[in-house]
Amino acid sequence: ASWVNCRKQRTDNEVVIYSCVGRAIYRVAMKDLQLFEWRPRPPTPLKPDQIKDIKRNMRKYGAQFEMEDQHHFAMADTNYVETRRRQKSKFLEWRTKNKARLISDIWQAMNMDKNDVNEIMSEVLVNSTTEYIAKPE
């Protein structure tokens, strides 16, 4: 966080809070800003020798946390794969059902008499209209 304070000009004061990568995530101009205090970090409950021990054994702790992270990622991957597998099985079931229906419809259409097909085509031709648009001269 940073702040701008000019006691002589009280209108140009502002507070800016930055993210850990340096991008401003909150900016507000405040009239008559005199003082800005950021909440201090709470004191650590660890003793100085415990902090030294943690720093000394950082590789061991890092490896332990890496294993936990890999486990969480693997669980997320298995959940994703299982979801995709369920979706695929539903799709294949739907596809086989509709494929069978399509094949039966095709067989029914092939078994129709020529007279039935001619009747259907004549109905389509009678019911359709053709419009011509005259070209202006």
Side-chain angles (χ1 to χ4, degrees):
S2 68
W3 61 290
V4 176
N5 181 10
C6 183
R7 292 182 187 248
K8 292 182 180 179
Q9 287 185 332
R10 296 182 178 209
T11 58
D12 294 334
N13 302 328
E14 69 177 0
V15 174
V16 182
I17 298 178
Y18 296 95
S19 68
C20 61
V21 293
R23 188 177 7 201
I25 57 175
Y26 180 76
R27 179 185 300 257
V28 63
M30 296 182 173
K31 190 176 178 183
D32 296 328
L33 177 67
Q34 295 294 321
L35 179 67
F36 175 79
E37 289 184 353
W38 186 252
R39 173 182 51 149
R41 292 185 178 178
T44 179
L46 300 175
K47 297 175 184 164
D49 58 336
Q50 290 174 327
I51 294 173
K52 285 181 186 178
D53 186 44
I54 290 172
K55 287 181 181 179
R56 197 173 323 122
N57 297 323
M58 190 60 86
R59 285 189 182 174
K60 179 180 83 172
Y61 295 129
Q64 176 185 354
F65 292 134
E66 282 294 324
M67 288 176 55
E68 288 180 14
D69 288 345
Q70 289 176 358
H71 175 71
H72 288 297
F73 287 135
M75 291 299 295
D77 287 344
T78 55
N79 289 340
Y80 176 75
V81 168
E82 186 61 34
T83 302
R84 294 292 293 175
R85 189 174 291 136
R86 282 194 304 267
Q87 289 174 346
K88 183 179 178 183
S89 66
K90 284 181 182 179
F91 170 74
L92 291 176
E93 180 183 323
W94 173 84
R95 181 178 170 218
T96 54
K97 181 179 72 171
N98 285 326
K99 188 175 181 181
R101 190 182 67 173
L102 177 65
I103 290 171
S104 69
D105 289 348
I106 289 171
W107 277 106
Q108 286 177 358
M110 288 175 62
N111 291 333
M112 285 193 334
D113 293 336
K114 277 189 171 182
N115 295 332
D116 294 338
V117 173
N118 289 336
E119 283 179 28
I120 292 172
M121 291 304 292
S122 64
E123 286 179 21
V124 169
L125 290 175
V126 167
N127 291 335
S128 65
T129 59
T130 306
E131 294 182 15
Y132 295 99
I133 300 174
K135 193 174 187 183
E137 293 181 19

